[in-house]
Amino acid sequence: MKKFFKSLIIFTFLILLVGCSSVKTKTFEEKKSTTKGNILKIVCHYNEKENKILKMEVEDSKGTDLTEKERKEIDREAKAVYGSYKGIEAVTDYKNNELIMTVKIDFEKINLENGSMYYPILGGLDFIDVDEIKNEKGEKKLFVNAEKIFEKLRERGLIEK
């Protein structure tokens, strides 16, 4: 009986922890089917309490008229370029006769203080905006403001799903 109550208490705490989580996800998509180079979907994982983006996945089309050799070259180049940045990776996939690339960005691993290093990657994603706050010690801390990102995505015509 003691084991049952211990298990019940642990289970209850787990439910409370999961239920109180402030990490949320929002997905934005284009209205219509896309053409080469357009953003198809953006998934944002964010901390609602702190209003900051934790991770982001940006999916875009690289085209349908590519040969197998061209697809492999894009895949190789993407992994070489994006793989050299801490907190950023690229994944390519071939769906519905179209090459799709997803760039995964982990803002918890990126050093936003050295933003110029990441500009070749993040500069093309001009909807990403970095804000500054000061902690209780007065030290500045950079973060990606979730509400600003969501507003910019809506302004670009992406629809929240």
Side-chain angles (χ1 to χ4, degrees):
M1 194 68 159
K2 282 185 179 182
K3 285 184 181 181
F4 173 75
F5 284 116
K6 283 182 183 179
S7 297
L8 183 63
I9 290 171
I10 290 171
F11 181 74
T12 304
F13 280 120
L14 287 174
I15 295 293
L16 287 173
L17 285 174
V18 171
C20 297
S21 174
S22 63
V23 176
K24 307 278 184 189
T25 301
K26 282 193 183 192
T27 301
F28 294 86
E29 294 181 353
E30 277 193 338
K31 293 179 190 176
K32 301 178 183 177
S33 61
T34 63
T35 57
K36 186 176 179 178
N38 285 351
I39 291 174
L40 301 172
K41 179 169 68 172
I42 298 174
V43 179
C44 301
H45 306 276
Y46 66 104
N47 183 312
E48 189 175 43
K49 265 186 204 174
E50 296 178 10
N51 187 37
K52 71 178 186 179
I53 301 285
L54 305 172
K55 296 179 183 179
M56 183 181 288
E57 296 149 26
V58 181
E59 182 180 287
D60 69 359
S61 164
K62 295 298 178 195
T64 57
D65 56 346
L66 300 171
T67 66
E68 181 68 23
K69 184 180 178 182
E70 289 171 322
R71 289 194 305 261
K72 286 182 179 179
E73 182 65 19
I74 289 172
D75 184 51
R76 187 186 63 74
E77 286 178 13
K79 287 183 173 133
V81 170
Y82 293 101
S84 64
Y85 293 92
K86 182 181 178 187
I88 300 177
E89 74 171 299
V91 177
T92 57
D93 192 14
Y94 200 63
K95 297 180 195 172
N96 301 324
N97 204 26
E98 185 174 24
L99 182 66
I100 306 295
M101 181 186 297
T102 304
V103 177
K104 298 179 180 185
I105 306 165
D106 186 341
F107 289 105
E108 295 180 295
K109 292 182 180 175
I110 288 179
N111 178 1
L112 292 172
E113 300 288 334
N114 192 5
S116 61
M117 177 179 129
Y118 293 96
Y119 187 77
I121 303 299
L122 302 180
L125 304 174
D126 60 355
F127 52 84
I128 295 177
D129 199 6
V130 178
D131 278 355
E132 177 181 306
I133 57 171
K134 291 188 178 180
N135 63 17
E136 53 279 346
K137 295 178 183 178
E139 303 164 331
K140 78 175 186 173
K141 186 173 182 176
L142 299 177
F143 71 103
V144 179
N145 185 309
E147 284 305 316
K148 283 186 179 180
I149 296 287
F150 302 152
E151 185 60 33
K152 285 183 178 184
L153 294 175
R154 289 181 194 108
E155 286 172 5
R156 286 177 165 236
L158 278 83
I159 300 169
E160 187 176 339
K161 295 290 177 172

